[in-house]
Structure formats: C-alpha cells, structure tokens
Amino acid sequence: MSQVSEFSTVSRIGSLASLREHLQWAVELEHATLPPYLCALYSLDPKRNPEAFEVVSGVFVEEMLHLALAANILNAVGGQPRLDSPRLLPSHPRRLPHGDRSLELSLAPFGPEALELFLRIEQPAPPSAPAEADSYETLGQFYDAIEGGLRELCARLGEREVFSGDPARQVSAGHFRHSGGRLVVVTDLASALAALEEIVEQGEGTARGEVWDGDEDIFHPDREEVAHYYRFQELKLGRRYQRGDTPQSGPTGEAVTVDFDGVRPMRHNPRLADHPPGHPIRVAQEEFNHTYCAVLHLLEQAFNGSPRMLSVATGTMYALKAQAEALMGMPDGEGRTAGPTFDYVAPEGRRWSQGDSRRIAVLRDGPYVVYGRVPLRRKRKIVSENNDSLTWQTGDAIDTENTYALCRCGRSGSKPFCDGTHAVVGFDGQESAEVRPYAELQHVHDGIGISAQRVGELCIHAAFCIGRTRPIAEMLADTGDSDVRSDVMGRIDHCPSGSYSYALSRGGESIEVDLPEAISVLEEENGQASALWVTGRVPVLRADGRPLETRNRMTLCRCGHSANKPLCDGTHRTIGFRDESVAGETP
C-alpha cells in the first residue's frame, strides 16, 4: 500500500474515538459484502460452474479474513467490535455503509447483475485518489483514511497511547485456517499497517497498479492470486490474467468458462413477508436467519475476548450452506426459487444467546457454548484393584476464555475444546433428551430412613450404584443399619449424572451433595474418556432454546454417539471413546 501524504489536510480521523468509530465502520462494511456474496455462492452449482464457484467462495473467505483484520485493529486501539446488532442487517436492497450512496447491495443469484455489483464493490481507487474517511468512492480510499489517522495519532500521542488494547483479544492464524491471506496480529503501528495492506491488496491488487494480490491461489497453490476486482473481471471477460497483464491490458491468459444457465434462479431480494407465517418457505427462511445471527453472535464473542470462538463461528457457517441450498430448491413462483432474507433475529428470539449469565448453550449440530467463564477442570475416577468405583479425584484446572466451546461431536483435534470439526464431518447432533422434570420421570425405591429415586435414562454407567457385592436396589432393605444407609448415600452422592438421588422419606426434599459451579472433563478407569460433568446448577439450554431442568448435576455427551443427546447415556464405554488431546489446551 502506498503511503498517504495528504492526510494533514483531508483526514477527519483526529482522535482515538474517531479512529475507533471508523474501524467499527470497517467491520460493518466488510460484513455488508457477505450476504450478497453468499447468495451468489449458494446459487452456483460447482459442477457446472467450477471456476465461478472458486472465485466467489475464495472472495467470501477473504472478506471474512478482512473482517477479522479490521476487528484486530479495532481491538488493538482499545475498541470493541460489534456484529450482533440489527444495524448490520437492514433490509435488502441496502446501501453499502459509509460509502458511495449510489451503490446498492442486493441479494441475487450469480449472474451479470451480481458481477457488476461485485466489480463496483471491489473497484480500485486511482493511484492519485485522495483518501476519504466517509462517503468514500472506493474501499481503498476509506482504508487510506484509516491509515492516515493511525499515522497522525501515533505521531501526536505515541504508539503506546494509541495501541492500548488487550493483546489477548487478537485472533490469529491458529483460529482461522481457511484463507490464502495473512491474519495479522496487531500490536503496533507496523502490524496495523500490515493488516490494512492485506485488506487493500486482496481487494485491489498490490502497488495500486497491479492485478496481483501477493498471495497464492487457495484452490491452485501453483498459481499466484489476482485481487478480488480482477478475479471478477476474469469471469466477466472470460479470460484469466497471466504474468505481464496489467489493468490496462486486461486478461490475456487461458479461457474462463461461465455457464449462466447453471445457476439456481433465486428470487431477488426475498422477504419474509412474501409468505404467511407457517409457510414452508418462510419457516426455512426463519431457520436460516437464526443460524446467520448465531454466526454474528459467535463472531462478536470471538472478537471480544474469546478468540477460540472464531473456529466455532466459521464451522457454524457450514450449516448455512445446507439451509440456503434447501431454500433455493423451493419454487417461489414465476420460474424463481426461494432464497435467504438475512433478517436480524433479536437475542430474545434466540434465547440461548441472550444475556451474560453463566450457562451452557447447545448449538444445533455443533458444540456446547459456555458463557460466564464457568470453571473447567479434569476429574478422574478412582477405582479399587477390582475396578470397583470408589470416588472422583479432582485434577488440574483447564484455562478458558470468557466464553468457550466444548466439543460435542467427539472428533475435535483440540479436545475438550471445539475446533469446528463437527461442520466438516457433518455431525448430527439432534437432541432427544426429555425436557420433563426429574420428579415426573423418577422411580422411587424406599428403604428405612431413606427414599431413593432413579431415572434410568440419565445413567452413564459410572457404576457407583453397583458396588463390590450388591447394588443399591438390594441394599435398601437393610438400611435400618445406619452404616448401610450411609454407604447408599455416599454412592448416590458420587453418581455424576444424578440418575440416582435420595431424600430421607418418600416425597421429602432431595438431599444433594454440595457441588461447585463447574464443568468437569471425566476420565474413568483405564483412561476411558467419559462425559462432561456439569455441577452447581449451571443452566443448560437446548439448540431450540428450551431449557433442560436445572439440576445440581448432570452429564453431557462428548463422544457424539449418545442416543439421549445432549445428555450422556454411557455409549462412550461401548465405543471405547478416548481423549487423545490433552496437550495444547490453553486457548
């Protein structure tokens, strides 16, 4: 990126507050390009249009990278990126925020109209164009204004004053692995300028006069990659750029084929109001909107102190593809198909993402998202020489972020944390656990001075109820002996799932062992990986927002194979589930 010398006269970014405001605008404008790119991408059949599919998907991934880079710069200067907001999802058609007022963003299938829109979005600034801080003509001019503001403020206030943000809020390449570009960690002026350079070069090309962006092609590593604007030019003109080509010469390389008939004919700018409540198309659109707003929520968590959540957000995007393609398979009249509307769903409509309280939210076909920095630790079952269950030994605490995600599919490479693998492997996390309260499901077995209750569906076969000689069910007849009664109570206290509980008399108040608010990663005998043990009445919300009964203890499946999801049913023992990932747990 060329240095900008005219900022002393044109830059309107003269304070840290103004700089943070403009960087939030950068987050918003990078996001604004995503819905149009996604509609074009989902409308393409990759078999009939492989080259167009690669171009649009590659640009989309890099726009996600630009969003993360803008958030890194904003965090570095002490700001707070905001994405989970209705201002990010106004109705389409809409204006590109803070830009050319004549540029209108629409939701449309891939085609000549979409190509012209994308070319206008990515249009390079002329090399001599002055920087513009708002109502800019091109993205390059807007980012030049930010560059100038950064330089001016650093010269006037000093770098330490400008870059006052918490370095722990930076997202890095370890959190975002799906791009040919660089995810720069921003800590000072040099790294901030490098991040800006990456954004502008991928969009406009290097040196403001070349077609190349300086990265390798993510689909064809043997080829150098051209900037976004020139990739769309290749599709429009039917030729690929080759070395020696310039913006003036145009592409002169091999032919690029685009089959405009091989596109799903999505209705332009669909709206929820096009169909009555309960109509299959509207229901599918509402489901898509919930998922998309979940992505925005997870991105906001990632950029505000929980960088590991970035892989969860990108993983959740896989669900969007299936939902959008299902919509585009629904006839919407006049030879068109339905499409996504990208309407904002308020947090109260999502329930699981509402508020800051400690809780565990189950994502649909995804991980457990844990809010409120619930302590995470390991617990190992202590057994006798004959493998009789005796007690639990608390192990080391596991470092977490404020919000973190725990693997539910059993396939993560960074267990117990989620790394997005669930999306790649197509994990089916459909929930079937009862939402009725324990009291309605329990079977009561009375002894003397004790009334034992049991819900068999909650059992994870930790085997504390079996004992060396007799199970609890047989011991109840002898509970007139206080030693036997005490043994029964102790065994029930060690039951991690709360399948067994007890009161002093039938119908009496249940007596629960005092357990802290925590999540424990359980290990059973012989290194057998077990469930996630949730204690201390931490609420758990299903993916549909309905709460499971809040109890002092429950166990969640983490092998991915329970028939009682999200609860554990002991299947981990049957399949020999192991927890290979112990090292490298710190986010």
Side-chain angles (χ1 to χ4, degrees):
M1 179 185 295
S2 59
Q3 293 189 12
V4 180
S5 59
E6 54 270 66
F7 281 105
S8 57
T9 58
V10 296
S11 175
R12 287 175 282 178
I13 303 177
S15 68
L16 284 174
S18 177
L19 176 63
R20 291 166 185 155
E21 178 184 43
H22 282 79
L23 286 166
Q24 174 61 30
W25 290 353
V27 169
E28 293 173 13
L29 76 89
E30 295 295 348
H31 168 265
T33 67
L34 300 185
Y37 284 141
L38 282 175
C39 283
L41 178 62
Y42 296 146
S43 71
L44 283 164
D45 181 343
K47 293 181 179 179
R48 295 183 64 176
N49 272 298
E51 292 167 308
F53 182 84
E54 287 180 1
V55 167
V56 180
S57 59
V59 169
F60 170 77
V61 168
E62 288 169 6
E63 292 297 345
M64 285 290 295
L65 174 68
H66 299 173
L67 180 65
L69 288 166
N72 271 359
I73 304 172
L74 179 52
N75 269 322
V77 299
Q80 290 185 306
R82 295 298 176 213
L83 286 107
D84 191 356
S85 167
R87 66 182 286 175
L88 271 84
L89 284 177
S91 297
H92 288 81
R94 60 167 296 193
R95 305 297 179 191
L96 188 68
H98 316 293
D100 183 347
R101 297 293 186 251
S102 69
L103 179 52
E104 188 175 80
L105 302 178
S106 292
L107 304 178
F110 180 81
E113 178 185 332
L115 268 179
E116 290 303 321
L117 170 62
F118 300 159
L119 286 166
R120 286 200 62 189
I121 291 172
E122 305 289 355
Q123 179 182 354
S128 60
E132 296 183 8
D134 194 16
S135 299
Y136 54 88
E137 295 181 14
T138 70
L139 300 184
Q141 290 171 289
F142 175 71
Y143 282 113
D144 272 351
I146 291 176
E147 176 185 342
L150 281 166
R151 291 183 183 276
E152 178 183 319
L153 289 169
C154 285
R156 179 155 48 89
L157 303 176
E159 284 192 50
R160 290 188 63 181
E161 180 70 18
V162 173
F163 293 94
S164 59
D166 181 0
R169 294 165 70 91
Q170 295 289 307
V171 295
S172 68
H175 305 117
F176 189 80
R177 306 183 182 93
H178 307 292
S179 168
R182 297 174 296 152
L183 183 46
V184 180
V185 171
V186 179
T187 57
D188 54 17
L189 180 60
S191 52
L193 296 180
L196 289 172
E197 183 178 54
E198 185 69 21
I199 294 172
V200 175
E201 286 188 353
Q202 282 194 331
E204 300 189 9
T206 58
R208 300 296 178 84
E210 290 195 18
V211 301
W212 315 100
D213 73 3
D215 298 319
E216 67 180 24
D217 189 312
I218 61 175
F219 292 101
H220 304 280
D222 57 316
R223 290 204 303 241
E224 291 183 89
E225 194 168 60
V226 299
H228 294 180
Y229 178 81
Y230 301 103
R231 280 181 243 176
F232 291 127
Q233 284 280 34
E234 289 179 333
L235 295 180
K236 179 181 179 180
L237 301 175
R239 287 280 172 194
R240 197 175 299 282
Y241 281 92
Q242 61 182 348
R243 272 299 170 190
D245 289 343
T246 67
Q248 292 73 34
S249 73
T252 63
E254 62 190 62
V256 174
T257 303
V258 178
D259 178 5
F260 288 111
D261 293 326
V263 177
R264 299 177 182 95
M266 184 192 107
R267 179 175 183 168
H268 287 51
N269 296 316
R271 296 179 180 272
L272 289 177
D274 294 336
H275 304 281
H279 189 283
I281 288 178
R282 180 160 176 168
V283 170
Q285 289 170 331
E286 290 170 340
E287 181 179 348
F288 180 95
N289 292 336
H290 272 81
T291 304
Y292 192 78
C293 288
V295 171
L296 294 184
H297 171 76
L298 294 168
L299 286 172
E300 184 167 295
Q301 295 294 317
F303 298 143
N304 284 274
S306 302
R308 197 187 273 267
M309 296 297 291
L310 186 57
S311 62
V312 182
T314 54
T316 304
M317 283 188 165
Y318 280 77
L320 289 174
K321 182 175 186 289
Q323 291 172 346
E325 289 180 346
L327 273 168
M328 293 185 189
M330 296 179 175
D332 196 31
E334 302 179 359
R336 296 284 186 178
T337 70
T341 63
F342 289 92
D343 286 297
Y344 184 72
V345 180
E348 55 268 25
R350 293 176 248 152
R351 294 187 65 184
W352 62 268
S353 65
Q354 186 177 14
D356 299 320
S357 61
R358 281 187 168 179
R359 67 194 186 281
I360 300 170
V362 183
L363 290 195
R364 178 175 299 176
D365 298 330
Y368 304 105
V369 179
V370 184
Y371 295 87
R373 205 162 196 143
V374 180
L376 182 66
R377 60 195 183 179
R378 292 191 176 275
K379 274 186 177 289
R380 182 170 64 90
K381 187 166 73 175
I382 304 300
V383 298
S384 71
E385 61 276 9
N386 296 316
N387 277 339
D388 299 314
S389 300
L390 301 177
T391 189
W392 296 101
Q393 180 182 40
T394 301
D396 294 336
I398 302 174
D399 289 339
T400 69
E401 298 168 342
N402 292 329
T403 303
Y404 59 93
L406 297 174
C407 175
R408 187 159 75 101
C409 71
R411 304 281 293 277
S412 170
S414 57
K415 297 185 191 71
F417 298 106
C418 170
D419 67 356
T421 299
H422 61 275
V424 178
V425 300
F427 171 61
D428 180 359
Q430 183 172 356
E431 298 158 85
S432 56
E434 278 277 7
V435 294
R436 288 186 295 160
Y438 184 92
E440 293 184 14
L441 300 171
Q442 69 186 7
H443 298 277
V444 180
H445 307 276
D446 290 329
I448 300 171
I450 184 172
S451 179
Q453 302 112 23
R454 183 172 185 268
V455 176
E457 295 89 340
L458 301 180
C459 180
I460 72 166
H461 308 291
F464 286 95
C465 61
I466 296 175
R468 183 173 61 85
T469 56
R470 290 190 298 167
I472 285 175
E474 294 181 10
M475 296 173 67
L476 288 171
D478 298 327
T479 49
D481 183 329
S482 60
D483 286 342
V484 175
R485 188 160 67 249
S486 175
D487 189 11
V488 170
M489 291 175 174
R491 293 195 198 177
I492 291 177
D493 285 345
H494 283 99
C495 174
S497 68
S499 171
Y500 258 115
S501 64
Y502 67 90
L504 298 182
S505 61
R506 178 179 283 260
E509 182 179 355
S510 291
I511 297 175
E512 283 283 354
V513 64
D514 186 18
L515 296 170
E517 285 188 323
I519 302 173
S520 299
V521 181
L522 297 185
E523 178 186 316
E524 299 186 37
E525 64 272 18
N526 303 317
Q528 170 72 62
S530 184
L532 295 170
W533 187 8
V534 181
T535 58
R537 302 186 63 80
V538 176
V540 177
L541 298 172
R542 290 166 44 113
D544 60 10
R546 288 190 294 168
L548 296 178
E549 181 183 15
T550 299
R551 303 184 65 224
N552 190 43
R553 49 189 163 157
M554 67 172 66
T555 44
L556 300 177
C557 171
R558 72 183 188 101
C559 73
H561 289 81
S562 170
N564 196 33
K565 296 183 183 73
L567 301 178
C568 173
D569 67 356
T571 300
H572 58 271
R573 300 180 67 88
T574 305
I575 65 173
F577 179 60
R578 312 293 289 188
D579 191 356
E580 317 90 293
S581 304
V582 176
E585 290 173 340
T586 302

